[in-house]
């Protein structure tokens, strides 16, 4: 499995079968400091309708037809805010189960609320968790940390944060989230760059850098 962090909440994941998935592609100019999304994927999965998450037209379809086993995909309906969508509408958590990779992949979208016990049970112990940490539009660093403790994924990648020259001014960086992980131990912290090849064996926090300029 290869994981590429395009930026914001957008990831490209290529499973061991060659099947590729793009999560939450953003529209050109919608996220300060990030280049246009110009990628090829078999499947596009969008957590909600905001243009920094649902620019499906920016993702090209591959020239070949995929003939291998398709992953199982499930959605959990949640909210983009703490008041049942009254501020920012709905949000979907996406669960991808890939049998050849023996992996459960969870993309939290722009989660802005807590989860019920039933919802938590569906994603608890997942192999990879992509979770927003920047706050304002989503849960913040501390809320993301508390949710990670409940989900207890093998690997976690923070997303939807601001950094040096990219991201929204109103959202935070990843420093507080990383510090909370560091203080509470039990998880290796890896500066992973733009691309990760294969998931780590132990419990890990993967700090990824966005691919700043795709064109």
């Amino acid at each position: 499995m290869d994981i590429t962090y395009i930026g914001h909440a957008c990831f490209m994941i290529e499973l061991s079968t060659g099947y590729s998935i793009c999560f939450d592609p953003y529209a050109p100019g919608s996220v300060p400091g990030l280049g246009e999304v110009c990628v090829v994927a078999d499947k596009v999965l969008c957590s909600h309708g905001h243009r920094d998450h649902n620019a499906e037209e920016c993702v090209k379809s591959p020239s070949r037809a995929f003939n291998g086993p398709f992953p199982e995909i499930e959605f959990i309906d949640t909210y983009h805010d703490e008041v049942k969508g009254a501020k920012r509408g709905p949000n979907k958590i996406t669960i991808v189960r890939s049998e050849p990779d023996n992996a459960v992949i969870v993309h939290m979208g722009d989660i802005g609320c807590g989860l019920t016990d039933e919802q938590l049970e569906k994603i608890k112990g997942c192999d990879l968790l992509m979770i927003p940490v920047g706050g304002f539009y989503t849960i913040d660093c501390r809320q993301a940390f508390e949710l990670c403790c409940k989900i207890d994924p093998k690997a976690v990648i923070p997303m939807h944060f601001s950094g040096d020259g990219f991201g929204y001014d109103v959202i935070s960086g990843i420093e507080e989230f990383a510090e909370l992980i560091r203080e509470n131990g039990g998880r290796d912290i890896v500066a992973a760059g733009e691309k990760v090849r294969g998931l780590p064996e132990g419990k890990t926090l993967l700090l990824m850098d966005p691919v700043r300029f795709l064109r």
Side-chain angles (χ1 to χ4, degrees):
M1 180 192 303
D2 290 346
I3 306 160
T4 303
Y5 184 34
I6 306 302
H8 203 46
C10 182
F11 291 83
M12 275 287 296
I13 293 185
E14 185 174 354
L15 304 176
S16 61
T17 58
Y19 190 83
S20 54
I21 300 171
C22 181
F23 293 89
D24 279 22
Y26 54 83
S30 64
V31 184
L34 296 182
E36 292 185 21
V37 175
C38 185
V39 296
V40 177
D42 293 290
K43 186 75 172 178
V44 183
L45 297 170
C46 301
S47 61
H48 62 289
H50 294 163
R51 292 299 287 154
D52 57 331
H53 290 262
N54 81 335
E56 188 171 351
E57 71 279 3
C58 294
V59 181
K60 298 179 181 179
S61 298
S63 56
R64 51 96 179 120
F66 182 76
N67 295 316
F70 292 90
E72 178 187 343
I73 299 172
E74 182 182 356
F75 302 102
I76 299 175
D77 291 323
T78 60
Y79 300 106
H80 198 329
D81 53 55
E82 73 283 7
V83 285
K84 296 187 175 181
K87 290 181 182 178
R88 299 185 181 95
N91 175 72
K92 288 181 182 177
I93 296 172
T94 303
I95 307 169
V96 176
R97 295 182 177 88
S98 174
E99 290 299 332
D101 296 276
N102 193 29
V104 178
I105 301 162
V106 177
H107 187 285
M108 299 293 285
D110 264 9
I111 186 78
C113 62
L115 299 180
T116 66
D117 290 343
E118 182 180 359
Q119 290 170 332
L120 279 169
E121 194 60 36
K122 288 187 176 183
I123 59 177
K124 190 174 293 185
C126 62
D127 296 284
L128 174 62
L129 177 71
M130 293 163 278
I131 188 167
V133 300
F136 195 86
Y137 300 113
T138 69
I139 56 175
D140 60 22
C141 288
R142 184 164 292 278
Q143 290 169 316
F145 169 74
E146 291 171 354
L147 197 49
C148 277
C149 290
K150 294 177 181 179
I151 298 170
D152 194 26
K154 291 181 180 176
V156 56
I157 302 176
M159 63 179 183
H160 210 280
F161 57 87
S162 64
D164 185 14
F166 67 88
Y168 300 134
D169 291 342
V170 293
I171 65 177
S172 74
I174 57 174
E175 293 80 11
E176 182 185 351
F177 182 74
E179 187 60 27
L180 286 166
I181 295 289
R182 186 176 292 109
E183 288 174 352
N184 289 273
R187 193 174 289 274
D188 293 330
I189 300 176
V190 178
E194 299 173 352
K195 189 166 187 173
V196 174
R197 295 187 179 277
L199 291 175
E201 292 186 6
K203 291 188 178 181
T204 308
L205 170 63
L206 297 171
L207 299 177
M208 299 192 71
D209 299 319
V211 179
R212 295 289 295 279
F213 302 105
L214 300 183
R215 282 185 176 176

